[in-house]
Amino acid sequence: MLKLSKKADYGLLAVNHLTLYRSQGSVSARDIGKTYRIPVGLLAKVLQRLVQKGLLKSEHGANGGYRLAKPAEFISALDVISAIDGPVVITSCKTERGECVQTPACTVKEPLRRVNDRIVEALSSLSFAHINNPTFRLAAN
Amino acid sequence: MLKLSKKADYGLLAVNHLTLYRSQGSVSARDIGKTYRIPVGLLAKVLQRLVQKGLLKSEHGANGGYRLAKPAEFISALDVISAIDGPVVITSCKTERGECVQTPACTVKEPLRRVNDRIVEALSSLSFAHINNPTFRLAAN
DNA sequence: GAATATAGGACTGGAGAGGTCGCATATGCT
DNA sequence: AGCATATGCGACCTCTCCAGTCCTATATTC
């Protein structure tokens, strides 16, 4: 349906929160969840995944939580989305479980691949530094 | 997961087929289904939807089938996709069943809306005349 | 050692995608 | 007329996978 998963939405929201509050050290999943009314357990999973992918760093224990692993301008929406949902591919032509049966005869996969490239480009040009710039614009607009 | 539905894929494939064979009059769902190994019953549903939305015209009876309702340059990938899957909106911010609970506090909906615009733009600039032009390029590349 | 974090696996409910079937209707052919 | 072949459309079914919960282990602070 060409929609981001809720997990990806939550991830974007959380990373942006960590960007906004990065001067205050770590923020817990609990705090972020409360702020945006996201189920805390689920959000924790999402954040753990972002740690695994090297986008965030975590701190255990009281006063622990999450913080950005690098400056906000080096974290893109694509980074977050693909960390959570896997690679951005709008078609089902090929997945980890092989190709779809249409692939050999498919006359539209090449154009769709180009559309896909455009989407990837738009998402990767959108960093969190960018997002919080009040006068931001997407690149190449 | 930011993927087109199979129905949308089938629709794109079918409309492109009708574009390629438009000089030969109507083509049945059965023929198209066999060509691309698409379940015929399902494909028929998809094509009927495209008729409802005014993209195709249908003819009942023997030697009936489907054909484009207008020249291929006036039918875009976006037309087909949104006819089948509904409007292209990558977020769950708002649907026909109201807004998500995050919306008021959401800090990323505006940037995502812009990404969405880019996707819509890419899909709407992709006509079927365009797709079958061997040297095609997406607009604004 | 109590409180508060993350880490991560197991599990469940439910929505929705993908697909099937049956029947009505329309058209062409013999 | 009668049959074969189309579309039109609603009901239905299955099965995957997203969204969310729960539980336990581990780490850190006070």
Side-chain angles (χ1 to χ4, degrees):
Chain A
M1 278 279 294
L2 214 49
K3 253 191 186 60
L4 295 172
S5 70
K6 286 232 175 206
K7 290 183 193 179
D9 281 340
Y10 296 160
L12 293 169
L13 219 31
V15 171
N16 201 48
H17 188 84
L18 294 176
T19 300
L20 292 169
Y21 292 87
R22 64 192 177 285
S23 62
Q24 300 179 23
S26 295
V27 183
S28 70
R30 180 183 172 81
D31 284 351
I32 300 175
K34 295 239 161 149
T35 303
Y36 303 102
R37 304 174 65 184
I38 300 170
V40 177
L42 184 54
L43 178 60
K45 288 256 169 93
V46 169
L47 293 169
Q48 284 162 26
R49 186 116 199 182
L50 296 175
V51 171
Q52 287 173 352
K53 298 288 179 177
L55 301 177
L56 303 182
K57 287 189 175 173
S58 63
E59 280 155 17
H60 283 233
N63 299 326
Y66 300 88
R67 57 190 169 79
L68 302 186
K70 45 189 168 182
E73 66 246 55
F74 298 130
I75 305 179
S76 72
L78 181 69
D79 292 333
V80 173
I81 292 167
S82 58
I84 298 167
D85 282 350
V88 170
V89 274
I90 61 172
T91 60
S92 313
C93 301
K94 44 175 182 280
T95 68
E96 53 281 358
R97 303 207 247 294
E99 297 191 335
C100 80
V101 297
Q102 284 82 25
T103 300
C106 188
T107 57
V108 295
K109 65 185 166 194
E110 183 58 21
L112 287 178
R113 202 187 54 71
R114 302 210 187 193
V115 170
N116 200 88
D117 287 348
R118 295 281 294 275
I119 294 173
V120 166
E121 188 186 317
L123 288 172
S124 64
S125 75
L126 186 62
S127 78
F128 285 87
H130 214 177
I131 286 175
N132 294 296
N133 180 338
T135 60
F136 100 97
R137 304 169 66 215
L138 287 182
N141 247 1
Chain B
M1 282 279 292
L2 213 49
K3 253 193 186 60
L4 295 172
S5 70
K6 286 233 174 205
K7 291 184 191 177
D9 281 341
Y10 295 160
L12 292 169
L13 219 33
V15 171
N16 201 49
H17 188 85
L18 294 176
T19 300
L20 292 169
Y21 292 87
R22 64 190 178 286
S23 61
Q24 300 179 23
S26 296
V27 182
S28 70
R30 181 184 173 78
D31 284 352
I32 300 175
K34 295 240 163 149
T35 303
Y36 303 101
R37 305 174 65 184
I38 300 170
V40 177
L42 184 54
L43 178 59
K45 287 254 169 97
V46 169
L47 293 170
Q48 285 160 25
R49 186 117 199 183
L50 296 175
V51 171
Q52 288 173 351
K53 299 287 179 178
L55 301 177
L56 302 181
K57 287 187 175 173
S58 63
E59 280 153 18
H60 283 231
N63 300 326
Y66 300 89
R67 56 191 170 80
L68 301 186
K70 46 189 169 183
E73 66 245 57
F74 299 128
I75 304 180
S76 72
L78 181 68
D79 292 333
V80 174
I81 292 167
S82 58
I84 297 166
D85 281 352
V88 170
V89 275
I90 60 173
T91 60
S92 313
C93 302
K94 45 174 182 278
T95 67
E96 52 281 356
R97 302 208 249 294
E99 299 190 334
C100 79
V101 298
Q102 285 81 25
T103 299
C106 188
T107 57
V108 295
K109 66 186 167 194
E110 183 58 22
L112 287 178
R113 201 186 56 70
R114 303 209 187 192
V115 170
N116 200 87
D117 287 348
R118 294 281 294 276
I119 294 173
V120 166
E121 189 186 317
L123 288 172
S124 65
S125 74
L126 185 63
S127 79
F128 286 87
H130 214 174
I131 286 175
N132 294 297
N133 180 337
T135 61
F136 99 98
R137 305 170 66 215
L138 286 183
N141 248 1

